[in-house]
């Protein structure tokens, strides 16, 4: 193992270690640290400062092998490094199936829209609550879909780092497969059975999510283990209710990230805003097509074509975004915003005419743009926060967006009931989605300019040689057993 250490401008030390078996980075924090590597390739990083905070980052990078154990204030936990392959490919396939059966399922309810409206003699506003509530509970919480969707996405994020953009794009292909298959299947079931029988068959198909969950497992099987001393202290003291609530919100809902991380806040607000009209066209495309004289078969075919476009575009987007040019420049947010802008403006196409050809052109443009958006929606989130906070950040994001997902279709139904025209729905969606894309572009551009100005205004670090340490730091090499190269254990203490 090779280590190099460089003093930073703040008197701290930037440490880099390179192992022959891995190239996955983690971040050193501003505290007293000991790093060691044994013959089995397992790295151990120990923090002896109980007052350490996660946001005290010194900017150094440590490249470690397959696992690392971190101790903070008597509490130890094992953090497994993403393998970027291996069993991760199985998790990727399982995630694709889960997305095909959950995210794509509410869109096929447009096939049953007219039947539900006739059966219950309901208005457009009342009928639209069915896909609205189903999609909102998928994102915000509830039995079934939510327990499948969010764990699958989170699990896949832990298995991939270097290939994360590619993995996210490939898993989102599952949504495309669902969009292409489920509408045709729903149309066939509706022609053979009524809507009640069709729902029973579709519910049985959704049980395959249980199989996908059964084959998922933690990365390397590692789990955090609390020390006996920390457990005894927890038993012997009753924390204040405010502290318990603060810890809960930080761990599971990431309110601290929303307040402190400007990029995460901007992205969360953008996604919440865009969801007001992003999914509405999938609900109203079939009713709009049938109201213009197209048959149910042609309307279902439009949704199927939309799914097939996603099947071809999303893997290509994954290969493109996996290139080093995109990974190194961190432009995922801008690509996401441009695709979102095109997606919003494409809703105006279906208002130009009522023929099948016009709606087909709309589906093609809408499908290409939604493919790019779907490929990057989780990649951008993983790019603006640490992966260790991803589950909590995703939880808060989905709760926020569920509010607009819930009210979007009913508001569109109210617009149809008041005007009698579906075209106003698509115009409203175009305005909502396009404005959210512009907001994201302006926000990230402003944050980038602010970051560049801060870097230029920062004083340059002292030009000390890499091996020279400040007087208040101690460095020592300890030979490891069987180590034929440089020392495999390094102790650095920063005061």
């Amino acid at each position: 193992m090779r280590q190099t250490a460089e003093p930073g401008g703040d008197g701290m030390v930037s440490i880099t270690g390179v192992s022959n078996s891995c190239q996955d980075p983690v971040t050193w924090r501003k505290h007293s640290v000991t790093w060691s590597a044994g013959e089995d390739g397992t790295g151990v990083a120990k923090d002896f400062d109980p007052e350490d905070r996660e946001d005290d980052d010194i900017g150094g990078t440590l490249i470690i092998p397959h696992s690392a154990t971190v101790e903070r204030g008597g509490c130890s936990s094992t953090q497994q490094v993403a393998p970027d392959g291996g069993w991760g490919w199985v998790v990727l396939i399982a995630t694709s199936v889960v997305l095909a059966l959950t995210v794509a399922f509410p869109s096929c309810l447009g096939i049953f829209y007219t039947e539900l409206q006739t059966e219950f003699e309901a208005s457009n506003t009342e009928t639209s609550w069915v896909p609205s509530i189903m999609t909102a509970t998928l994102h915000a919480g509830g039995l079934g879909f939510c327990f499948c969707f969010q764990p699958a996405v989170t699990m896949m994020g832990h298995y991939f780092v270097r290939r994360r953009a590619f993995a996210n794009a490939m898993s989102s292909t599952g949504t495309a497969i669902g969009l292409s298959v489920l509408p045709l299947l729903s149309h066939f079931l509706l022609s053979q059975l009524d809507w009640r029988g069709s729902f029973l068959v579709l519910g049985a198909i959704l049980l395959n999510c249980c199989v996908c969950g059964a084959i998922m497992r933690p990365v390397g099987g590692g789990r955090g283990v609390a020390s006996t001393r920390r457990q005894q202290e927890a038993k012997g003291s009753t924390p204040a209710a405010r502290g318990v609530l603060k810890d809960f919100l930080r761990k599971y809902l990431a309110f601290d990230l929303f307040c402190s991380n400007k990029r995460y806040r901007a992205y969360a607000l953008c996604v919440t805003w865009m969801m007001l009209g992003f999914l509405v066209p999938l609900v109203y495309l079939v009713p709009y097509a049938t109201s213009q004289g197209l048959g149910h078969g042609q309307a279902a075919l439009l949704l199927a074509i939309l799914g097939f476009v996603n099947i071809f575009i999303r893997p290509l987007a994954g290969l493109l975004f996996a290139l080093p040019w995109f990974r190194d420049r961190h432009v995922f947010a801008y690509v996401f915003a441009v695709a979102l802008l095109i997606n919003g403006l494409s809703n105006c196409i279906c208002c130009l005419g009522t023929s099948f050809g016009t709606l087909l052109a709309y589906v093609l443009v809408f499908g290409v743009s939604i493919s790019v958006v779907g490929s990057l929606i989780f990649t951008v989130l993983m790019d603006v926060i640490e992966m260790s906070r991803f589950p909590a950040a995703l939880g808060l994001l989905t709760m926020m967006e569920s509010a607009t997902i819930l009210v979007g279709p009913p508001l569109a139904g109210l617009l149809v009931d008041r005007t009698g025209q579906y075209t106003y729905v698509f115009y409203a969606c175009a305005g909502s989605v396009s404005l959210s894309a512009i907001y994201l572009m302006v926000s990230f551009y402003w944050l980038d300019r602010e970051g560049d100005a801060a870097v230029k205004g920062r004083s340059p670090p002292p030009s000390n040689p890499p091996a020279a340490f400040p007087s208040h730091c101690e460095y020592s090499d300890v030979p490891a057993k069987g180590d034929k190269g440089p020392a495999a254990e390094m102790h650095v203490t920063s005061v």
Side-chain angles (χ1 to χ4, degrees):
M1 181 175 180
R2 175 173 55 85
Q3 308 96 359
T4 60
E6 298 180 2
D10 57 355
M12 304 304 294
V13 179
S14 175
I15 310 164
T16 302
V18 179
S19 170
N20 293 330
S21 60
C22 177
Q23 294 294 325
D24 294 315
V26 296
T27 305
W28 282 102
R29 307 295 177 187
K30 187 182 295 185
H31 49 248
S32 302
V33 173
T34 299
W35 161 258
S36 62
E39 296 179 359
D40 57 353
T42 300
V44 179
K46 296 182 179 180
D47 172 10
F48 294 100
D49 187 359
E51 300 298 325
D52 168 60
R53 298 179 57 87
E54 283 191 0
D55 53 356
D56 294 334
D57 194 320
I58 68 172
T61 300
L62 174 68
I63 302 180
I64 63 174
H66 302 292
S67 65
T69 301
V70 179
E71 294 187 1
R72 287 194 177 105
C75 180
S76 63
S77 61
T78 300
Q79 300 176 355
Q80 299 293 335
V81 178
D84 274 301
W87 192 258
W89 299 120
V90 180
V91 175
L92 174 60
I93 295 174
T95 303
S96 301
V97 176
V98 169
L99 294 182
L101 296 178
T102 57
V103 178
F105 184 81
S107 64
C108 75
L109 292 180
I111 303 297
F112 305 98
Y113 189 91
T114 305
E115 281 68 22
L116 293 174
Q117 191 174 21
T118 304
E119 176 76 18
F120 296 100
E121 299 179 354
S123 64
N124 286 283
T125 305
E126 295 170 334
T127 308
S128 61
W129 280 107
V130 177
S132 176
I133 293 175
M134 179 176 292
T135 309
T137 54
L138 164 67
H139 291 270
L143 298 177
F145 280 174
C146 180
F147 289 164
C148 301
F149 165 66
Q150 292 194 20
V153 174
T154 303
M155 181 70 71
M156 190 192 62
H158 284 290
Y159 267 91
F160 293 92
V161 174
R162 182 170 53 88
R163 298 174 177 153
R164 182 170 290 163
F166 174 76
N168 283 326
M170 292 302 299
S171 65
S172 66
T173 306
T175 304
I177 296 174
L179 284 174
S180 60
V181 175
L182 289 180
L184 296 178
L185 177 61
S186 300
H187 175 68
F188 172 77
L189 293 175
L190 187 60
S191 63
Q192 301 298 319
L193 309 169
D194 61 1
W195 65 270
R196 291 183 174 87
S198 301
F199 277 17
L200 289 175
V201 175
L202 292 173
I205 295 175
L206 291 175
L207 287 175
N208 287 282
C209 291
C210 298
V211 180
C212 298
I215 63 177
M216 293 186 178
R217 64 192 186 193
V219 180
R223 293 183 178 180
V225 181
S227 65
T228 304
R229 182 172 65 87
R230 178 61 59 87
Q231 293 178 358
Q232 292 176 350
E233 290 177 357
K235 292 180 180 179
S237 61
T238 303
R242 181 181 299 179
V244 173
L245 179 61
K246 182 179 179 180
D247 292 340
F248 176 83
L249 294 178
R250 182 184 182 279
K251 182 177 181 181
Y252 296 105
L253 294 181
F255 276 106
D256 61 321
L257 278 179
F258 187 81
C259 296
S260 61
N261 191 325
K262 295 180 180 180
R263 293 181 184 274
Y264 173 68
R265 181 166 62 245
Y267 184 66
L269 292 176
C270 167
V271 174
T272 303
W273 187 350
M274 86 171 189
M275 284 299 178
L276 188 63
F278 185 68
L279 300 177
V280 172
L282 299 177
V283 177
Y284 284 95
L285 178 60
V286 173
Y288 173 66
T290 54
S291 68
Q292 302 301 321
L294 274 69
H296 274 277
Q298 288 180 308
L301 181 60
L302 289 174
L303 282 180
I305 293 174
L306 176 63
F308 285 121
V309 171
N310 277 257
I311 291 176
F312 288 104
I313 297 299
R314 295 199 184 208
L316 295 178
L319 293 174
L320 178 64
F321 298 144
L323 296 176
W325 190 90
F326 286 96
R327 294 201 312 266
D328 298 339
R329 286 167 175 79
H330 299 284
V331 295
F332 293 129
Y334 293 103
V335 178
F336 176 87
V338 171
L340 189 62
L341 179 62
I342 297 174
N343 179 267
L345 296 177
S346 67
N347 290 303
C348 299
I349 298 178
C350 66
C351 303
L352 301 177
T354 59
S355 63
F356 180 81
T358 302
L359 294 181
L360 179 60
Y362 162 68
V363 165
L364 293 176
V365 178
F366 185 86
V368 172
S369 59
I370 201 175
S371 299
V372 179
V373 172
S375 301
L376 291 177
I377 188 168
F378 297 122
T379 303
V380 176
L381 179 59
M382 295 174 184
D383 200 40
V384 298
I385 62 171
E386 294 181 358
M387 193 59 210
S388 61
R389 303 300 309 278
F390 178 77
L394 178 62
L396 178 60
L397 176 63
T398 52
M399 287 189 62
M400 292 176 58
E401 69 181 9
S402 65
T404 50
I405 290 175
L406 182 64
V407 301
L411 288 177
L414 180 63
L415 189 60
V416 174
D417 291 335
R418 294 290 179 88
T419 63
Q421 298 289 331
Y422 284 98
T423 53
Y424 292 107
V425 171
F426 291 91
Y427 282 131
C429 293
S432 174
V433 176
S434 300
L435 289 176
S436 67
I438 295 174
Y439 164 76
L440 183 64
M441 282 189 287
V442 173
S443 298
F444 270 69
Y445 178 76
W446 178 78
L447 290 173
D448 287 339
R449 292 290 299 271
E450 186 182 57
D452 293 340
V455 171
K456 292 180 180 178
R458 187 178 304 170
S459 59
S463 56
N464 294 343
F469 289 90
S471 58
H472 58 276
C473 293
E474 298 179 0
Y475 172 86
S476 62
D477 275 333
V478 181
K481 182 180 179 180
D483 186 13
K484 299 180 180 179
E489 184 169 315
M490 180 179 67
H491 301 275
V492 177
T493 302
S494 300
V495 180

